[in-house]
Amino acid sequence: MKAPPRDEPGGSRPTIRLDKWLWQARFLRSRTMAAAFVQGGRLRVNGQVVDKPARAVAAGDVLTFALRGQVRVVRILDLGERRGPAAEAQGLYEDLAPPSLPADPSRDTPPALE
């Protein structure tokens, strides 16, 4: 799915700094950590690698990044106005990554001895 077209600068489409949104959505504990994460070039916005924490993002943008051993693909639904509780933060995005498969219980049991 394609991202909606970006408005020209000064347009009416509200945006927020990428590092601030990551912090408000509770992916990282502080804005400093969020800025360092983005500067490391480990994040994509709509498929393009981003390394500027001040990069403006808006509702509809898709972020792809690896965090805590898991690849996250999220669509921004709302920009938020504050860093609220976790339930509020989860309403800021839609998780697009497929659910991880449950562990195969048959692998945990040793083979039967005959």
Side-chain angles (χ1 to χ4, degrees):
M1 180 173 184
K2 268 188 153 178
R6 283 219 171 268
D7 288 344
E8 293 299 317
S12 62
R13 187 172 180 206
T15 60
I16 189 172
R17 285 176 58 112
L18 177 57
D19 62 335
K20 186 173 181 180
W21 187 87
L22 288 168
W23 171 70
Q24 285 182 187
R26 294 187 163 268
F27 285 107
L28 295 148
R29 290 185 182 187
S30 70
R31 282 209 38 205
T32 303
M33 289 174 72
F37 181 77
V38 174
Q39 285 175 334
R42 297 175 280 186
L43 187 134
R44 293 175 184 255
V45 176
N46 299 325
Q48 296 181 331
V49 176
V50 174
D51 62 358
K52 304 287 185 202
R55 162 69 151 80
V57 293
D61 287 343
V62 175
L63 309 181
T64 307
F65 55 96
L67 187 65
R68 298 178 197 100
Q70 183 179 15
V71 174
R72 305 297 306 260
V73 181
V74 299
R75 176 178 292 120
I76 297 174
L77 299 177
D78 192 12
L79 303 182
E81 296 187 17
R82 66 185 185 118
R83 181 179 165 96
E88 184 179 314
Q90 289 171 352
L92 298 179
Y93 61 91
E94 173 188 7
D95 195 348
L96 301 176
S100 58
L101 297 174
D104 184 2
S106 65
R107 287 187 161 180
D108 294 337
T109 57
L113 297 175
E114 295 180 29

